[in-house]
Amino acid sequence: GILQSFFIVLMCCSCTLLTAISMSAIATNGVVPAGGSYFMISRSLGPEFGGAVGLCFYLGTTFAAAMYILGAIEILLKYIVPQAAVFHGGESALLNNMRVYGTIFLSLMALVVFVGVKYVNKFAS
C-alpha cells in the first residue's frame, strides 16, 4: 500500500542521508580506500550502521542491475531490433526472449566483473 511505499522511500532517504554525512566526515581525511560508501559509513558511524546500510546498498544494487538488464532487453527487442527475437508470439514469447537475452547479458556483465574493469577501460580508450 501507500504507507509501505512511503516507508521504503524513507529508508532510501535515510541511507542517502547517512552516506552524505559520512562522506563529509571522511572527506576531510583524504582519499577513500576500497569499499566506497560502506567504508565511509562504517568508519564514521560504526560497524552496526555500516553493516545495515551496506546491506541496503547491496540489495538495491542487485535489484537495480536486474531491472536495468530487463529494461535494456525490452527496448532492444521492441524498438531497436525486433527481428532478433528468438521466440515469436504473444506475451509469453516476450518473457522467454527476456530470459534468453537476460542470461546472455548477465553472463557478459559477469565476465566484465571477473576480468576486471581495469582491462575494460584499456579497451575503451
Side-chain angles (χ1 to χ4, degrees):
I2 293 175
L3 290 177
Q4 288 87 359
S5 301
F6 283 134
F7 180 69
I8 290 172
V9 171
L10 177 70
M11 282 180 33
C12 295
C13 290
S14 300
C15 290
T16 306
L17 178 69
L18 288 175
T19 304
I21 292 171
S22 301
M23 190 177 352
S24 64
I26 296 289
T28 58
N29 294 337
V31 178
V32 176
S37 59
Y38 170 74
F39 173 78
M40 291 186 290
I41 292 170
S42 65
R43 282 285 300 267
S44 62
L45 298 177
E48 295 85 10
F49 282 110
V53 174
L55 181 64
C56 289
F57 279 136
Y58 168 74
L59 290 174
T61 304
T62 303
F63 287 120
M67 294 298 116
Y68 293 151
I69 288 174
L70 290 177
I73 293 167
E74 186 173 6
I75 296 297
L76 184 76
L77 291 179
K78 276 193 175 183
Y79 301 112
I80 298 175
V81 189
Q83 60 271 20
V86 177
F87 301 99
H88 301 284
E91 190 70 25
S92 64
L94 178 64
L95 292 176
N96 287 331
N97 284 323
M98 286 187 165
R99 288 181 183 129
V100 170
Y101 284 110
T103 304
I104 293 169
F105 276 36
L106 188 60
S107 300
L108 289 173
M109 291 174 79
L111 181 69
V112 167
V113 169
F114 288 133
V115 168
V117 179
K118 186 187 311 181
Y119 295 111
V120 173
N121 286 337
K122 283 183 184 179
F123 290 127
S125 59

